[in-house]
Amino acid sequence: MLNTIFTQRQRKSIGQAKTSKTNKTNILPGVKTALALCLLAAVTACANSPNSKALEESLAADPKLQQNPVVLSPPPPPPAVETSTTAKLPPDFPTEIPLYPNAQLIEVGGQTDPSPKTVRLRWESTDPINSVQNFYTKEFGRSNWQIVSSPSADEPGTLVATRDNLRVTVSLSPTQKVGGSTEFAIDYSKEDSEIASSPQPSNSESSPSPTASPTPSNSEETTPATPTAPKSAKVSELDSQIPQQLRQYVADLAQLEVLKVRSTENANLETNSTLPKPNKIITRREYARWLVAANNQIYASRQAKQIRLAVDSSEPAFSDVSKTDPDFSVIQGLAEAGVIPSSLSADTKDVKFRPDAPLTRETMILWKVPLDTRQILPTANIDGVKEKWGFQDASKIDSQASRAILADFNNGDLANIRRVFGFTTLFQPKKSVTRAEAAASLWYFGVQDGGLSAKDALQAKSQPTQ
């Protein structure tokens, strides 16, 4: 009985649930239809209302923009900036200013001071700042510069030096950039519109301009000799083939009438205002002639330093230079003075001079240096020459010439090699010398502590005799 009652109630409950679900399903479509009719009525009402046109106009595009559209142009490109790869030294950069070897020019500034004109160069180096400071302190201390102010050894700062009409300021910063590079600046100004045209013997290092008068003097200070007007005129007349770094040397010696040449083998010596064929290879006899003439002209008032010419009664030191040779007195005089190796000095077993053979670099230094030092050449070896000069081809230098080359290094900025060939790591000892190079070697005689140049000799000649 109970089971029958429970079963009947359960069936009744299920039937009521089905009826309720069916009713809900039938109601939903009607509700959706009603909502759709209401929305359509609202839209129709808006379209017919007076505000519908205003709403449409507010949402429409501006007719002015349609007639005159705005064109957006691309932004202008940024101005070009000079980078470190394009920075170059000014064309009129004074060669007297030493340049730090391991530095790169990153910027060239314009005029920073209206009078006198000042130019700023910014440099970057991987070396520490104290290395840069030590370099310029050393260079300005030995190259005839006058140091006006210098930083302390412990703390970098500003180094100021002057020379003639040139003023240089090296600004050293104690900080170092990220990555290990160091920046420093060089400011230079010139009192006149042009740097003095006195020649310098080196590319990276400048030599002092000798100022001693031809006669001994007790004065501690001397005034640098300035080029005279006639000498400047001769510079402009020189053959354009003469290397620019050698032109002033050639001009001074030409004005001293030292560079005499023969147009033909048996012709008389000719004096020219310029040097003919400056890039022609010079012979050994020509250089011997110029060597004696330059020495005696520069030391015109010091007979004790002049080379005596040989007389006809002298026994020839060389078998190929007889008494009838036009240059016998000069070549024999150099041999008798012990300036050039000969059988008289027992420095060589070669009894031939080979006067018409080309002059080599090592021979030129071997003959010239004894007239600078005026003493016996020091002993030398290949390792010593390579250590001092850094020549990669030091092993090719004759052992006798290496003594003169080592002694030449000890002359600092006045070394013949620096003056003639500039900076080089290859000496090329067997290479022939040109006339212009030979003339440059004869521009100065002496050592750093005392000597005379062709410019000094010209200045002495221009002074009135008392």
Side-chain angles (χ1 to χ4, degrees):
M1 171 89 58
L2 291 174
N3 290 338
T4 303
I5 294 172
F6 177 77
T7 303
Q8 290 177 351
R9 287 181 179 181
Q10 185 177 13
R11 289 176 179 176
K12 184 177 180 180
S13 176
I14 294 171
Q16 290 177 354
K18 289 181 179 180
T19 305
S20 177
K21 183 177 181 181
T22 303
N23 292 337
K24 289 180 180 180
T25 304
N26 295 334
I27 292 173
L28 287 175
V31 174
K32 291 180 179 180
T33 303
L35 289 175
L37 292 174
C38 291
L39 181 61
L40 179 61
V43 172
T44 306
C46 290
N48 296 329
S49 67
N51 295 329
S52 63
K53 186 175 182 180
L55 178 61
E56 181 182 358
E57 291 177 354
S58 65
L59 297 177
D62 190 349
K64 295 182 178 180
L65 294 177
Q66 294 177 346
Q67 297 175 0
N68 300 307
V70 177
V71 180
L72 298 177
S73 59
V81 178
E82 185 178 44
T83 62
S84 59
T85 58
T86 60
K88 297 180 181 179
L89 287 174
D92 59 345
F93 178 76
T95 57
E96 297 94 327
I97 301 177
L99 299 179
Y100 191 71
N102 188 29
Q104 183 179 12
L105 181 62
I106 59 176
E107 183 182 6
V108 178
Q111 182 172 333
T112 59
D113 190 7
S115 179
K117 178 181 178 182
T118 302
V119 179
R120 162 160 286 204
L121 307 177
R122 286 181 58 240
W123 299 82
E124 187 178 54
S125 175
T126 56
D127 295 342
I129 197 65
N130 61 327
S131 298
V132 180
Q133 176 178 329
N134 293 337
F135 171 81
Y136 280 101
T137 301
K138 181 180 178 180
E139 291 301 310
F140 288 143
R142 71 175 187 176
S143 299
N144 204 34
W145 290 83
Q146 180 179 359
I147 298 179
V148 179
S149 63
S150 60
S152 62
D154 300 330
E155 183 177 357
T158 301
L159 177 64
V160 182
T162 60
R163 175 176 172 176
D164 297 338
N165 63 341
L166 183 62
R167 182 182 180 91
V168 178
T169 302
V170 180
S171 302
L172 307 166
S173 174
T175 59
Q176 201 168 26
K177 293 177 62 179
V178 178
S181 62
T182 300
E183 286 193 8
F184 63 96
I186 297 178
D187 298 270
Y188 66 90
S189 59
K190 300 171 282 187
E191 295 179 359
D192 300 328
S193 59
E194 189 175 349
I195 294 293
S197 58
S198 176
Q200 304 300 328
S202 174
N203 290 351
S204 59
E205 300 176 352
S206 55
S207 70
S209 178
T211 56
S213 61
T215 55
S217 174
N218 295 326
S219 61
E220 296 181 357
E221 298 182 0
T222 56
T223 304
T226 56
T228 60
K231 183 166 62 176
S232 299
K234 287 186 178 297
V235 172
S236 63
E237 296 171 1
L238 287 174
D239 193 325
S240 60
Q241 294 181 353
I242 298 178
Q244 183 178 1
Q245 297 87 346
L246 308 181
R247 289 181 184 176
Q248 192 64 55
Y249 302 127
V250 175
D252 291 343
L253 290 167
Q255 193 170 355
L256 280 177
E257 299 183 353
V258 167
L259 310 178
K260 296 182 179 182
V261 296
R262 289 187 176 94
S263 57
T264 58
E265 183 178 353
N266 297 322
N268 295 328
L269 292 175
E270 299 177 358
T271 302
N272 301 279
S273 59
T274 60
L275 178 61
K277 300 180 180 179
N279 293 324
K280 179 181 178 181
I281 300 302
I282 190 172
T283 63
R284 290 162 63 94
R285 75 160 66 245
E286 281 182 320
Y287 188 73
R289 186 193 314 134
W290 291 5
L291 180 62
V292 173
N295 179 84
N296 291 354
Q297 281 283 0
I298 290 176
Y299 287 114
S301 61
R302 301 187 185 182
Q303 294 188 7
K305 291 192 174 185
Q306 292 184 1
I307 299 173
R308 301 292 190 268
L309 300 180
V311 296
D312 295 339
S313 59
S314 299
E315 187 66 25
F318 302 100
S319 61
D320 55 351
V321 181
S322 64
K323 297 180 181 181
T324 59
D325 189 286
D327 295 306
F328 170 78
S329 60
V330 170
I331 297 173
Q332 182 72 18
L334 288 170
E336 292 181 352
V339 177
I340 61 177
S342 69
S343 58
L344 300 178
S345 58
D347 290 332
T348 179
K349 296 180 180 179
D350 191 356
V351 294
K352 291 187 176 182
F353 182 74
R354 301 183 301 281
D356 298 316
L359 179 76
T360 63
R361 289 185 171 188
E362 63 180 5
T363 301
M364 181 182 71
I365 301 301
L366 178 61
W367 293 1
K368 172 61 168 54
V369 170
L371 292 177
D372 291 327
T373 61
R374 307 277 169 169
Q375 58 185 358
I376 298 176
L377 296 176
T379 58
N381 53 43
I382 294 175
D383 293 336
V385 172
K386 189 172 184 179
E387 179 184 357
K388 293 293 186 179
W389 282 105
F391 292 147
Q392 303 176 42
D393 54 354
S395 59
K396 299 179 181 180
I397 300 174
D398 179 77
S399 58
Q400 197 172 30
S402 64
R403 300 170 58 193
I405 292 172
L406 184 62
D408 193 43
F409 177 86
N410 297 332
N411 215 7
D413 292 327
L414 296 174
N416 297 281
I417 294 176
R418 292 192 178 100
R419 182 168 61 252
V420 179
F421 307 117
F423 172 78
T424 179
T425 60
L426 287 174
F427 181 57
Q428 304 178 77
K430 313 302 180 185
K431 184 177 180 180
S432 300
V433 179
T434 67
R435 284 178 171 179
E437 292 171 339
S441 72
L442 303 174
W443 185 79
Y444 182 84
F445 285 82
V447 294
Q448 293 185 87
D449 297 335
L452 291 175
S453 70
K455 182 175 65 175
D456 295 320
L458 289 172
Q459 185 183 28
K461 290 180 65 176
S462 64
Q463 294 177 352
T465 57
Q466 295 181 353

